[in-house]
Amino acid sequence: MPKVKSMYLSLFVVCIFISSATAQNYSQKMDPSLKLMVNAMQRDSATGPLTKAAGSHLPFVSVLIKGQPAGIRSAVLSAGGSVGAVVGNIVSARITPASLLTVASNPSVERIEKVAQKRLYNDEAARQVGATYVQSGTSPLTLAYTGKGVIMGVIDSGIDFRHKDFRDPTDPTKSRILYIWDQEDEQGPPPEGYSYGTLWTKEQLEQDFRGEITVRQKDTNGHGTHVAGSAA
């Protein structure tokens, strides 16, 4: 009888080892943040600090999954998740943290990556470069410099003039931009004294906000919007 118990115990230990090794193999398909999430669920309680830090307490996690789209879709839906866009062999999806290993175990899945959450950090950037001290007039400054009344010009790839950073914070129907000179738009009219480009006025930008006209100017790659936003 003792030998039988010993045999069952050995089998039980082997099963645990195999299961753990398999989970480790599946986790290799995940990016570091998702591995951390799985480890947190395995090592911590549902309300523990590691679980919260990893985000595994959240109801769903947004991911990008590489592999065979049809198989990925089936795996995600079977795990209670939802599928978004499919582009080539990349599928966007929302799945529960608890189903990560289940989805990763599907042969159609080659790689899973967490979708990074986007945030606006220009206020934090102002603090880090010391602009907040200038705006508050912190010693050794004797005056606060807020930039009020300053007119600034930027020569760059364009600007996303519809962005709220470039509108009056108290009245978003009003633009903070006085003029945009699009030097690549030859439809005109150009600024006075010049023979090329198209000049858009503050009034026209606000007409665009109201849907009365369409301002053609666009930021071709985002750099101009970034520079203008940081400077302003």
Side-chain angles (χ1 to χ4, degrees):
M1 196 64 168
K3 290 183 179 179
V4 175
K5 288 184 177 179
S6 177
M7 180 182 68
Y8 284 138
L9 179 60
S10 299
L11 286 173
F12 179 67
V13 171
V14 170
C15 287
I16 290 178
F17 176 78
I18 292 174
S19 177
S20 177
T22 302
Q24 182 68 19
N25 290 336
Y26 294 152
S27 72
Q28 296 306 311
K29 296 182 179 181
M30 304 177 192
D31 69 14
S33 63
L34 294 179
K35 288 181 183 178
L36 178 63
M37 191 176 290
V38 170
N39 289 338
M41 288 185 293
Q42 292 175 340
R43 299 178 184 177
D44 210 358
S45 67
T47 57
L50 180 58
T51 300
K52 286 192 174 183
S56 53
H57 65 292
L58 300 174
F60 288 96
V61 56
S62 296
V63 294
L64 295 176
I65 307 176
K66 179 183 178 182
Q68 299 296 325
I72 293 172
R73 181 182 182 85
S74 177
V76 169
L77 296 179
S78 296
S82 59
V83 173
V86 179
V87 181
N89 64 344
I90 305 294
V91 178
S92 68
R94 297 181 75 221
I95 58 179
T96 64
S99 67
L100 277 169
L101 282 176
T102 301
V103 174
S105 69
N106 190 288
S108 297
V109 174
E110 298 176 19
R111 177 74 174 169
I112 306 178
E113 295 186 1
K114 185 179 179 182
V115 176
Q117 186 175 1
K118 304 297 189 297
R119 295 185 177 92
L120 299 177
Y121 284 115
N122 258 5
D123 290 345
E124 176 63 16
R127 186 189 68 79
Q128 291 191 15
V129 301
T132 52
Y133 298 113
V134 177
Q135 292 169 348
S136 62
T138 302
S139 180
L141 295 177
T142 57
L143 292 173
Y145 296 89
T146 64
K148 185 176 181 179
V150 173
I151 298 176
M152 178 185 67
V154 176
I155 302 175
D156 213 304
S157 61
I159 188 169
D160 179 5
F161 65 90
R162 298 183 183 93
H163 194 287
K164 289 184 179 180
D165 276 354
F166 307 117
R167 302 194 192 196
D168 187 327
T170 61
D171 184 358
T173 66
K174 303 297 182 182
S175 178
R176 296 173 62 190
I177 301 172
L178 299 179
Y179 300 97
I180 299 177
W181 179 14
D182 188 345
Q183 299 182 13
E184 295 183 338
D185 183 350
E186 295 297 344
Q187 293 188 42
E192 185 177 354
Y194 292 87
S195 59
Y196 61 93
T198 297
L199 181 70
W200 300 99
T201 66
K202 180 177 184 292
E203 290 73 19
Q204 288 174 310
L205 301 182
E206 292 169 356
Q207 284 181 293
D208 180 281
F209 296 164
R210 297 191 297 268
E212 296 172 0
I213 66 170
T214 298
V215 172
R216 296 185 300 275
Q217 188 277 153
K218 295 180 180 179
D219 187 353
T220 56
N221 64 22
H223 190 271
T225 298
H226 169 74
V227 170
S230 296

